[in-house]
Amino acid sequence: MINVQGISKRYGSIKALNDLDFSINERSCFGLVGPNGAGKSTFMKILVGVIDRFDGDIQVFNQSVKKDQLAVKRCIGYVPQDICLEETLTANDNLTYFGRLYGLSGEHLRNRIRVVLEQIGLSERAHDKISKFSGGMKRRLNIGCAILHEPSVIVLDEPTVGIDPQSRHSIFSLISELKELGSTIIYSSHYMEEVEQICDSVGFIDKGKLVEHGTMKQVLDKHRNAAIFVAKDGMVTEELTAYGDVMQTDAGFFINCADPLSTMGIMIEHFRENGITPERLELSQTRLEDIFFQLTGLRLRDNG
């Protein structure tokens, strides 16, 4: 188990993290979500030892991030947001380099490289230079470099940004495989459907504070309520406020009200009388993305 105990981090007058307390079960996938600048990457950098000045502590399988930093680093594989590969080298050479940084050598290293290349689906491209790789291939190799030493904890910071659906599916399959092999995964993403699909538990960070956490079922059940979803070109929020609280998304409008089924009947009658034909009109159960907006708001965050 990973126990986060009162983690706080300040940059001058800005408090990036504010007294985080939660735990992550062994052999699970924990989703870490929040708006830009909420503190997700700061927390991950503390966990993996990139940031070493902070308040509080994290126990990783009974080892302190502060007191046993080297031991903790050895059991963690870290995949940062930015791709950390040498593009003039081949996939095999990049893996060799990172393997040696982890202390692997000889036949053991060669065997691990063969296994990892197969896991990330790049066996046939082992001797091609990274400069020839697509964005999805680079992302998969980036993960491969982090799992060479068979870490018990794998930290993935936005691993699917800008990649094709096939690479995304491959990464999801790899996460499931690693979890079955005994790894604990910490997964940060802005794609709520990804987190809901692959994570066992989730934590929401906003403005440095943990505003919600628990198993996926606990969080969804706590915030679950039926709503009405309606979509039509040209429709505006003001047309719908009479039916309940309206939240606009890229796809359409969610209307929260006390009796969604009866309210939908009233809406249907109104649309019929006024010759309005919506593209979609349906009852909708709360999704993780809805909870994200409830907890953090709709305002854009462009800092960090």
Side-chain angles (χ1 to χ4, degrees), residues 4 14 16 29 37 43 45 47 64 74 76 81 95 139 228 297:
V4 180
I14 299 173
C29 184
F43 168 74
K45 289 175 181 177
L47 174 61
S64 164
R74 284 175 177 152
I76 291 179
Q81 288 184 26
L95 288 167
R139 288 282 175 191
I228 300 167

Side-chain angles (χ1 to χ4, degrees), residues 37-225:
K40 303 183 300 298
S41 292
T42 298
F43 168 74
M44 289 183 164
K45 289 175 181 177
I46 288 173
L47 174 61
V48 303
V50 174
I51 295 174
D52 58 6
R53 293 185 179 181
F54 57 91
D55 295 322
D57 201 1
I58 304 175
Q59 296 287 326
V60 181
F61 304 117
N62 298 317
Q63 294 179 313
S64 164
V65 166
K66 277 188 169 178
K67 298 176 182 178
D68 310 300
Q69 191 177 87
L70 186 58
V72 171
K73 283 183 177 181
R74 284 175 177 152
C75 76
I76 291 179
Y78 176 44
V79 183
Q81 288 184 26
D82 296 327
I83 294 174
C84 300
L85 302 170
E86 176 48 62
E87 299 223 350
T88 62
L89 299 179
T90 66
N92 190 83
D93 290 340
N94 271 275
L95 288 167
T96 299
Y97 171 75
F98 279 96
R100 287 176 177 167
L101 287 180
Y102 289 125
L104 307 181
S105 61
E107 190 61 26
H108 182 212
L109 174 57
R110 288 189 288 273
N111 284 335
R112 284 298 301 153
I113 289 173
R114 282 195 291 270
V115 170
V116 167
L117 283 168
E118 185 174 345
Q119 285 179 306
I120 61 177
L122 292 175
S123 296
E124 295 181 1
R125 305 296 298 271
H127 300 291
D128 291 348
K129 289 186 177 180
I130 305 307
S131 57
K132 299 179 181 178
F133 281 15
S134 68
M137 293 164 67
K138 290 176 183 178
R139 288 282 175 191
R140 281 147 51 200
L141 183 59
N142 213 36
I143 295 173
C145 291
I147 63 175
L148 274 167
H149 60 305
E150 300 178 271
S152 54
V153 178
I154 302 167
V155 179
L156 300 161
D157 194 356
E158 302 282 351
T160 62
V161 172
I163 66 172
D164 57 276
Q166 288 81 6
S167 288
R168 180 175 282 108
H169 176 75
S170 176
I171 289 173
F172 290 173
S173 297
L174 177 59
I175 288 172
S176 296
E177 179 185 345
L178 292 169
K179 195 168 66 168
E180 288 177 7
L181 291 171
S183 293
T184 302
I185 315 291
I186 300 175
Y187 188 92
S188 173
S189 177
H190 282 110
Y191 303 125
M192 296 298 109
E193 71 277 7
E194 289 186 359
V195 175
E196 192 167 352
Q197 178 181 340
I198 67 173
C199 294
D200 308 293
S201 56
V202 63
F204 290 84
I205 293 182
D206 190 30
K207 299 176 183 177
K209 295 182 179 180
L210 189 71
V211 294
E212 184 63 276
H213 76 288
T215 68
M216 192 63 66
K217 184 178 186 306
Q218 287 171 341
V219 171
L220 288 171
D221 285 349
K222 179 179 177 180
H223 295 270
R224 190 182 302 279
N225 65 300

Side-chain angles (χ1 to χ4, degrees), residues 20 200 289:
L20 300 188
D200 308 293
E289 183 174 0

